[in-house]
Amino acid sequence: MKKIIDIHTIKRKPNIKRYLIASCILLILLILGSCKVGQQYERPQFDDVSEEFYVKDSIFNDSLAEAAITRDSLMMSHIPWREFIEDSTLIALIDTALVNNIDLQKAMRNMDIGMEYLAQSKANFLPSVNATPAGFRREYYSENYNNYGSNRARRNHGETPPTSLYTERLEYTSALQADWEIDIWGKLRWQKEAARADFMKSQEFKKAVQTELIAEVASTYYNLIMLKSQVEVAEKNYALNDSTYNIVKLQYDAGETTSLALQQTKSQQLKAQSLIPQLERQYTVQENKLNRLLGRSPRAIELTANFDDIQFQEKYKTGVPIELVKNRPDVAMAEYELIAQNARTGVAEALKYPSLSIGAGLGLNSFELENFFDPVSSAFALLNGSIFQPIFNNRKLKTNYRVALTEREIAQLEFKDNLIGAVEDVSNSLTRINKLTQEYKIAQERIEVTQKGLKDAALLFRGGFANYLEVITAQSDALESELNEINTKKQILIANIELYRSLGGGWQ
């Protein structure tokens, strides 16, 4: 439906009638505007998602105490990371990473993109306005053109228009046009809802990157401290092996032992020595990894913390699994994707129904330049209204709508899977902490045993009551137990960080 009105042909009508017509049109638009299609989003309820975090009971004896786990409204994830991490060096490294990390900077740029699309979706409710400040049009036609000899040609050229390249049309234009789509079925509102959900998802993505970054920096930092401590243990063990070798060599020179003893002792010494560059190589790799997380090229990182002085968390407040929807950025991202997909389903449904557009134009138009600036003789006004109803579109709209419904179901399944995966992460972290705590107590007890055995072996060896094999075995056991104890403690520290991350902490 289109209607063109020339301002020179408008006849004055009673104001009351015009007001009634305008009121009726407004009432119809309000009624149609209330017919919003689509389904308002409601968070789905998953009956098969547990209300408790699963942690397997200990199968060992009660003397191996487990970490205290409580469910509390004040969860670990609510603790700001600066309070959760007490190491000043680590805090400084994380501060640097939050400023310079490249992945985090890219996530922030994605947020800017989401904000722009959201602003664009809000602007869809406003009319689009275009202007033609100055337009010129001149058409040339020849004798065989199908409009040859028209009234316009006669008006421009008289009864004998030329037969080749005569001027059929000449006009000068200046105009302002506006178009406005009435959001009858809520299509624009659903588009805005989808854009808002996408923007919120980009915010959650930034939170997820920050949470992952803090956890990764902390884990790499603890790896560095562990390797530094292991290098010290390896150097101490090498010194013991070197001392043992010197004693065996003296015995060999005195004819009190065989060359086999000397060879095996030397082999053990070289084995202990080779462990040092292995650990140093791993240290350099972890140091370079940490520098990249900090957004800078490889360089030395000064570590002042003593590994033995680092303390464990003593109590874990986990909250309930459903709280992960609010705390875990990845779970929140999955829900916002579901919200966005629900909105896109509303858009796909709204496209099946009529759309109403209103257009208007105002300007000057003349075929003579001298009369162009005369608003009385050259002004024009246009008012366009159209209702577009798709009838047969090769089933595209129906297919798009059904596909959108299916994609919404997939998004809901993704949301559920992310929630279950988050609960699994927390349960795994809690179990890991409990079992590692048990391992650590065993490792500490083993160190006491091997250290005592090492001292006894050294005394017996010097007194001639033990051979070199017993000394080598005692040294090997002591080294292994110390390295294992350091590694287990490092795993507990990382497990603490992982539990904090899996509960959604680190972005506050």
Side-chain angles (χ1 to χ4, degrees), residues 16-30:
I16 297 178
K17 187 174 182 180
R18 282 190 288 174
Y19 290 150
L20 288 175
I21 294 174
S23 300
C24 291
I25 293 175
L26 180 60
L27 180 61
I28 292 173
L29 292 178
L30 289 174

Side-chain angles (χ1 to χ4, degrees), residues 43 53 61 65 130 141 145 183 185 199 275 277 320 450 493:
R43 179 179 293 168
F53 292 113
N61 59 59
N130 299 290
Y141 297 122
Y145 183 67
D183 192 26
W185 309 105
F199 170 66
L275 181 60
V320 295
T450 55
L493 293 171

Side-chain angles (χ1 to χ4, degrees), residues 72-81 83 317 323 326-327 500 503-508:
D72 195 288
S73 59
L74 177 62
M75 299 182 298
M76 285 177 64
S77 59
H78 290 173
I79 303 174
W81 66 266
E83 297 179 13
K317 298 177 180 181
E323 290 292 327
K326 294 188 297 183
N327 298 327
Y500 182 61
L503 286 168
W507 56 264
Q508 293 86 348

Side-chain angles (χ1 to χ4, degrees), residues 29 32-36 182-187 189 354-356:
L29 292 178
L32 291 175
S34 65
C35 302
K36 181 179 178 181
I182 309 299
D183 192 26
I184 301 176
W185 309 105
K187 179 183 71 175
R189 280 171 283 176
S355 61
L356 174 61

Side-chain angles (χ1 to χ4, degrees), residues 381-432:
L382 299 174
L383 179 63
N384 303 321
S386 64
I387 297 178
F388 176 78
Q389 170 62 57
I391 299 175
F392 180 74
N393 212 302
N394 294 334
R395 204 180 181 273
K396 291 180 180 178
L397 297 178
K398 186 177 182 180
T399 297
N400 290 341
Y401 176 60
R402 291 190 174 183
V403 168
L405 287 174
T406 304
E407 289 178 341
R408 183 174 65 183
E409 293 176 0
I410 294 173
Q412 181 168 319
L413 292 172
E414 291 284 352
F415 175 43
K416 180 179 180 180
D417 186 55
N418 273 269
L419 180 57
I420 292 175
V423 176
E424 177 190 8
D425 287 345
V426 177
S427 296
N428 288 344
S429 296
L430 290 171
T431 300
R432 190 176 296 115

